[in-house]
Amino acid sequence: MDGAFPTYLDLLRELSGHLDRLAALAQEKADAARQDDLLALDEVLKQEQAMTLTLRGLEQRRQKLLPQLGLKDTKLSGLLSKCPPELQDEAREATEELRRSYQVYRSCADMARNTLELTLHQIEKIVTAAGIDPAQAGAGYEPAGAEPPQNMKTDFRA
């Protein structure tokens, strides 16, 4: 258990770093939406997906460490009370950094979501002004049930 607490604190600091990166990606996403840059938005979304896999790995590591530390049902706020006295200052710093990183991430993610929603509403207004019902339109706002061009048809009866 002696080496597990420092490992857990390192994991918390690593998680803080990833949340900081996610916050930066959320800001990039909002910027891409404001500039109508779909390629940049797509790139940010790919990076976010990769970060999701990283976070999943961190969560698995955390789940393995918790029983070793006797923290299985302990919230982050209760970590200090179960931490060895010599590591309490380090644990306090790590938990405060994680909380701060999470708050910054949450704020940036909310801002990005609001920006994307606003942009989508603007697109809907433009489509509606063009006389098309966005709810009834398909991809590319083609009429539903439209036939594809002859050169795009394929015979799958093989």
Side-chain angles (χ1 to χ4, degrees), residues 127-155:
V127 169
T128 303
I132 300 170
D133 180 7
Q136 299 298 319
Y141 301 107
E142 294 285 329
E147 281 289 315
Q150 188 63 33
N151 63 348
M152 293 182 74
K153 291 183 180 181
T154 306
D155 186 4

Side-chain angles (χ1 to χ4, degrees), residues 2-51:
D2 292 342
F5 258 99
T7 301
Y8 185 67
L9 296 178
D10 288 342
L11 184 128
L12 294 180
R13 284 189 286 274
E14 187 177 349
L15 181 56
S16 294
H18 288 296
L19 287 173
D20 291 341
R21 178 67 185 131
L22 278 173
L25 286 173
Q27 289 178 335
E28 289 178 33
K29 187 184 343 179
D31 290 343
R34 278 188 216 100
Q35 297 168 4
D36 298 325
D37 188 347
L38 292 178
L39 294 176
L41 182 60
D42 185 51
E43 184 59 35
V44 170
L45 292 174
K46 287 177 186 176
Q47 290 177 38
E48 280 185 335
Q49 287 175 338
M51 290 292 298

Side-chain angles (χ1 to χ4, degrees), residues 39-101:
L39 294 176
L41 182 60
D42 185 51
E43 184 59 35
V44 170
L45 292 174
K46 287 177 186 176
Q47 290 177 38
E48 280 185 335
Q49 287 175 338
M51 290 292 298
T52 300
L53 295 175
T54 301
L55 291 174
R56 195 173 296 156
L58 286 174
E59 177 61 15
Q60 290 172 348
R61 285 177 36 205
R62 189 184 76 82
Q63 290 296 331
K64 288 179 185 176
L65 279 172
L66 290 177
Q68 295 174 18
L69 298 169
L71 299 173
K72 189 168 170 118
D73 295 322
T74 304
K75 294 182 180 184
L76 190 61
S77 60
L79 178 65
L80 288 178
S81 65
K82 301 212 176 183
C83 184
E86 65 274 9
L87 293 175
Q88 285 193 347
D89 288 340
E90 191 177 342
R92 182 177 296 108
E93 289 173 16
T95 56
E96 286 175 8
E97 179 183 351
L98 182 57
R99 281 192 187 111
R100 180 203 55 79
S101 293

